Amino acid sequence: MNVFQWLNTEAFTVFGQHVIWSDMLGNTIGLAALALGWRRSIVTWPAQLLSGLILVGAFAFAHLAGGVGKQLLVIVVALWGWYQWRRGNQQAQDGSIAVRFATWRERGVLVLGTALGTAAVGTLFSLVPALSWSPWADAYIFVGTLAAMVAQARGLVEFWFAWLLVDVVGVPLAFRSGLAFSGLVYVVYLGLVLWGLRSWWQRSRIDARATRPEPALGGAGAAL
């Protein structure tokens, strides 16, 4: 038995749900990656990379092409996000990653890109039923995850809102797909996302004050 086959064997059964090793290990590492993202630790990216590699096997086992594609995107975007954070061009004064709210233009690009991407991928999955038994939900999670990770790499608070919207569909789809551990982890994700959203929201105010230019001296005071 090779590693791939072992990862897709049953780890245990709980409440009648069969949990496979790849589902459990990949999502546990993914949960740690989300917690590291809340802490603005650069280790969040290699953790997401490893989680994606393991979960490719889990979604392939469940015959969810969108899930497999999503994890392949997670791997690519994790590498890009890791590079972005290592460049240090988004560092706050304390050396951590600076975070901020997106501009209206950035929000528009994220929303429009997510909508168009979901329409394109959902249409593909509908035309080729072998790719996914739940084409639109699968496409929504596929594209929504990409949007969330791109926003995270750019240090945008909106990344947490994107994860919330992915969770709304991800939880029921995971349980219906037989990936019980994924479903349970999505529920835990919800708590971490709300916690992370609060943390980044507060942090964005600190970073905004730190980058605000000091008022220039003028008038009578400048003439002295």
Side-chain angles (χ1 to χ4, degrees), residues 100-103 107 110 151 156-163 200:
R100 62 180 176 86
F101 277 95
T103 64
R107 290 172 184 168
L110 281 172
L156 303 179
V157 178
E158 281 78 2
F159 125 74
W160 296 103
F161 290 106
W163 269 126
W200 275 40

Side-chain angles (χ1 to χ4, degrees), residues 62-81:
H63 302 290
L64 284 174
V68 173
K70 183 188 79 171
Q71 296 308 322
L72 292 175
L73 277 177
V74 164
I75 292 168
V76 173
V77 179
L79 289 169
W80 177 68

Side-chain angles (χ1 to χ4, degrees), residues 24-59:
M24 181 180 70
L25 294 175
N27 278 292
T28 300
I29 296 170
L31 195 61
L34 189 63
L36 289 164
W38 160 58
R39 299 286 299 174
R40 303 186 312 282
S41 168
I42 198 170
V43 183
T44 184
W45 297 109
Q48 289 188 56
L49 176 63
L50 179 58
S51 172
L53 287 170
I54 295 174
L55 286 174
V56 164
F59 283 100

Side-chain angles (χ1 to χ4, degrees), residues 50-184:
L50 179 58
S51 172
L53 287 170
I54 295 174
L55 286 174
V56 164
F59 283 100
F61 178 77
H63 302 290
L64 284 174
V68 173
K70 183 188 79 171
Q71 296 308 322
L72 292 175
L73 277 177
V74 164
I75 292 168
V76 173
V77 179
L79 289 169
W80 177 68
W82 196 354
Y83 169 72
Q84 287 288 100
W85 282 27
R86 281 182 62 86
R87 285 173 61 189
N89 61 350
Q90 297 187 49
Q91 285 190 343
Q93 288 186 335
D94 63 358
S96 63
I97 299 300
V99 298
R100 62 180 176 86
F101 277 95
T103 64
W104 282 107
R105 180 178 180 278
E106 289 172 322
R107 290 172 184 168
V109 170
L110 281 172
V111 172
L112 181 61
T114 302
L116 292 176
T118 300
V121 176
T123 300
L124 173 63
F125 287 171
S126 297
L127 293 174
V128 188
L131 290 176
S132 177
W133 59 268
S134 184
W136 290 102
D138 212 4
Y140 172 83
I141 294 173
F142 176 91
V143 179
T145 298
L146 174 61
M149 292 187 68
V150 168
Q152 181 186 8
R154 296 182 63 83
L156 303 179
V157 178
E158 281 78 2
F159 125 74
W160 296 103
F161 290 106
W163 269 126
L164 279 174
L165 294 174
V166 168
D167 271 2
V168 170
V169 177
V171 171
L173 182 63
F175 279 112
R176 288 174 58 200
S177 302
L179 299 177
F181 202 82
S182 287
L184 293 172

Side-chain angles (χ1 to χ4, degrees), residues 191-212:
L192 273 178
V193 165
L194 293 173
W195 197 354
L197 173 60
R198 178 178 179 274
S199 175
W200 275 40
W201 195 317
Q202 293 176 332
R203 181 69 198 194
S204 69
R205 296 178 180 177
I206 297 173
D207 292 338
R209 286 197 297 268
T211 58
R212 189 176 299 141

